[in-house]
């Protein structure tokens, strides 16, 4: 999978980090298999010399992949390589007697002090994966907020598919170590056959999923959000710009740009004959919403008008939602709930009862 991703055209930085991420987790899966197979044949002494685990590379690879797809202009520099320095230390550590003696100490009673050095190294690596996963999730949410300043349709741009794999990658090593420790201390390693295969399958499926989605994903180098990300740093005016609000309302009523599911900030700025950054800033200051929420609020109002003027017996809620400018059921439902505190079905029932 990593090789396929590396060979994908065009060759972009994000694919390199994705290939690296898949490689590291594939190595972890192979590591788990080797440990369990060699242990059954009393060959663990061989494994100590071929330890493949690379805990300290997983977090940085995930972080830089997320950064690369959410910021296509990102360039990896020598300064960034410091994130992978602990990986080099880990690789060297696994080639030393300190590691071999510490790891072997897990299987003797009482556990020698040197084993706690090994366990500390393991848990620091696991915690680093969790920290990088949290940072990566935050990057995705920040990117989504930036998209909402510019686009009214973000489903195909926000990388929602990546959130669950990141959560799994972040918590999987922790859960795996907790399971093995509980099994070791409470059940004398007799439960391994019950959790080994399910954990291996989960890891394999997750790696395949993110590799497959990442391979199909097209990182658009042109998908930049210029001049919009710094809006919140601007000084906000305490008073409403009534002239802007009136002009915006007139455009919305007469032109109804929100009916176009692909409407974005540039197109609205053209209708208002203003600069995109100025429009976004004024929307935030005067409407208390970003561009995405503003457009969807008008679509919700349009949907409500369509409901009241349509045949309620032959009503298709989703069809009316599409007529109002929405392009997905999930976006429609969440926007409607946010603006009315009702679900579309509850609103329809309310309209029918009132008629």
């Amino acid at each position: 999978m990593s090789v396929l991703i590396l060979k994908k055209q065009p060759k972009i930085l994000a694919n390199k980090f994705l290939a690296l991420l898949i490689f590291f987790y594939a190595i972890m899966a192979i590591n788990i298999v080797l440990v369990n197979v060699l242990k059954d044949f009393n060959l663990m002494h061989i494994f100590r010399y071929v330890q493949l685990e690379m805990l300290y590379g997983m977090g940085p690879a995930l972080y830089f992949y997320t950064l690369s797809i959410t910021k296509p202009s990102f360039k990896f520099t020598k300064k960034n390589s410091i994130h992978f320095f602990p990986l080099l230390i880990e690789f060297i550590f696994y080639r030393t007697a300190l590691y071999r003696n510490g790891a072997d100490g897990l299987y003797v009673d009482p556990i020698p002090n040197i084993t706690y050095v090994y366990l500390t190294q393991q848990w620091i690596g696991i915690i680093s994966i969790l920290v990088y996963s949290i940072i990566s999730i935050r990057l995705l949410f920040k990117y989504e907020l930036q998209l909402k300043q510019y686009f009214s349709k973000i489903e195909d741009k926000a990388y929602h598919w990546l959130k669950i794999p990141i959560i799994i990658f972040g918590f999987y090593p922790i859960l795996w170590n907790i399971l093995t420790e509980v099994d070791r201390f409470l059940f004398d390693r007799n439960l391994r056959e019950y959790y080994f295969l399910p954990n291996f399958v989960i890891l394999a499926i997750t790696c395949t999923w993110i590799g497959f989605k990442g391979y199909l994903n097209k990182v658009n180098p042109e998908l930049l959000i210029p001049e919009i990300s710094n809006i919140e740093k601007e000084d906000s005016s305490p008073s409403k710009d009534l002239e802007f609000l009136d002009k915006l309302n007139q455009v919305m009523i007469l032109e109804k740009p929100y009916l176009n599911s692909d409407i974005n900030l540039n197109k609205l700025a053209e209708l208002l004959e203003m600069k995109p950054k100025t429009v976004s800033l004024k929307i935030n200051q005067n409407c208390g919403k970003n561009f995405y929420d503003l457009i969807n609020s008008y679509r919700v109002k349009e949907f409500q008008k369509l409901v009241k003027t349509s045949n309620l017996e032959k009503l298709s809620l989703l069809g009316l939602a599409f007529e109002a400018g929405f392009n997905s059921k999930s976006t429609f439902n969440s926007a409607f709930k946010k603006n009315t505190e009702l679900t579309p079905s509850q609103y329809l029932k309310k309209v029918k009862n009132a008629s």
Side-chain angles (χ1 to χ4, degrees):
M1 179 68 76
S2 294
V3 174
L4 287 175
I5 294 171
L6 281 176
K7 289 185 175 182
K8 180 185 175 183
Q9 297 293 336
K11 293 185 177 182
I12 57 176
L13 185 61
N15 287 344
K16 295 179 181 179
F17 287 117
L18 177 60
L20 199 60
L21 177 64
I22 298 301
F23 173 75
F24 286 147
Y25 273 92
I27 287 295
M28 174 184 276
I30 294 173
N31 220 51
I32 293 172
V33 173
L34 281 176
V35 167
N36 285 272
V37 171
L38 293 178
K39 185 177 181 298
D40 287 340
F41 289 94
N42 294 318
L43 296 174
M44 282 299 292
H45 61 283
I46 295 178
F47 175 77
R48 299 304 177 209
Y49 290 91
V50 294
Q51 164 68 280
L52 300 173
E53 197 168 60
M54 297 182 181
L55 288 174
Y56 289 81
M58 298 173 183
L62 176 62
Y63 165 69
F64 284 115
Y65 172 64
T66 308
L67 184 61
S68 298
I69 62 174
T70 57
K71 189 178 180 182
S73 61
F74 168 73
K75 303 293 183 183
F76 188 79
T77 64
K78 291 182 179 179
K79 183 179 180 180
N80 297 132
S81 63
I82 193 69
H83 288 266
F84 290 97
F85 182 72
L87 174 62
L88 176 61
I89 301 301
E90 179 187 27
F91 181 81
I92 296 173
F93 174 74
Y94 286 148
R95 315 276 85 81
T96 66
L98 183 63
Y99 155 70
R100 291 192 293 272
N101 295 333
D104 287 337
L106 292 171
Y107 300 91
V108 299
D109 191 23
I111 294 177
N113 290 334
I114 196 172
T115 297
Y116 290 105
V117 175
Y118 166 69
L119 289 174
T120 300
Q121 176 266 336
Q122 288 282 291
W123 276 104
I124 292 176
I126 289 169
I127 291 172
S128 76
I129 295 174
L130 179 61
V131 170
Y132 275 107
S133 297
I134 292 172
I135 295 173
S136 298
I137 284 287
R138 291 187 64 184
L139 278 177
L140 286 179
F141 279 109
K142 181 180 179 181
Y143 180 65
E144 185 174 323
L145 289 176
Q146 290 177 318
L147 289 174
K148 287 182 176 180
Q149 297 284 5
Y150 196 86
F151 298 99
S152 67
K153 182 176 70 173
I154 65 171
E155 291 77 19
D156 57 339
K157 305 176 183 71
Y159 302 112
H160 294 305
W161 61 268
L162 186 56
K163 292 176 182 177
I164 293 179
I166 287 179
I167 293 172
I168 293 176
F169 282 156
F171 286 95
Y172 177 84
I174 293 178
L175 295 177
W176 173 259
N177 272 37
I178 289 176
L179 277 174
T180 54
E181 292 302 305
V182 169
D183 185 23
R184 180 162 65 91
F185 283 108
L186 300 182
F187 301 98
D188 195 28
R189 300 187 177 89
N190 291 319
L191 296 182
R192 187 186 64 178
E193 60 182 279
Y194 296 104
Y195 65 80
F196 165 68
L197 184 58
N199 274 273
F200 178 78
V201 170
I202 290 172
L203 183 60
I205 290 175
T206 304
C207 286
T208 303
W209 169 250
I210 192 174
F212 177 74
K213 290 289 292 185
Y215 182 82
L216 295 179
N217 176 59
K218 295 181 180 179
V219 180
N220 185 359
E222 302 302 322
L223 186 55
L224 303 176
I225 313 175
E227 302 182 348
I228 303 303
S229 57
N230 294 325
I231 287 175
E232 295 180 357
K233 298 180 181 179
E234 302 283 345
D235 293 332
S236 58
S237 174
S239 58
K240 298 289 186 180
D241 187 339
L242 299 180
E243 182 180 349
F244 169 76
L245 289 174
D246 181 63
K247 188 175 183 179
L248 174 65
N249 194 46
Q250 288 297 316
V251 167
M252 289 298 186
I253 292 174
L254 298 176
E255 303 289 340
K256 293 190 175 183
Y258 53 84
L259 295 181
N260 177 5
S261 63
D262 292 318
I263 183 70
N264 59 37
L265 186 63
N266 274 349
K267 293 177 182 178
L268 179 60
E270 289 177 6
L271 293 174
L272 292 170
E273 298 179 341
M274 299 170 65
K275 293 181 179 180
K277 181 179 178 180
T278 303
V279 173
S280 186
L281 179 61
K282 288 186 175 294
I283 288 174
N284 279 266
Q285 291 175 343
N286 295 281
C287 304
K289 302 174 182 178
N290 54 43
F291 173 78
Y292 177 85
D293 289 333
L294 175 72
I295 294 298
N296 281 338
S297 69
Y298 276 94
R299 288 170 176 166
V300 168
K301 292 176 183 177
E302 181 70 18
F303 171 83
Q304 291 174 315
K305 292 178 183 176
L306 291 173
V307 167
K308 292 178 180 178
T309 57
S310 302
N311 187 338
L312 298 183
E313 298 301 325
K314 299 180 180 180
L315 196 60
S316 169
L317 293 181
L318 190 57
L320 293 183
F322 287 161
E323 284 187 40
F326 289 102
N327 74 312
S328 78
K329 183 178 180 180
S330 60
T331 301
F332 165 58
N333 287 335
S334 61
F336 195 89
K337 181 76 173 179
K338 185 175 183 178
N339 282 273
T340 66
E341 297 185 352
L342 295 171
T343 66
S345 298
Q346 289 172 335
Y347 176 76
L348 178 60
K349 184 177 180 181
K350 182 179 178 181
V351 171
K352 286 183 177 181
N353 290 336
S355 61

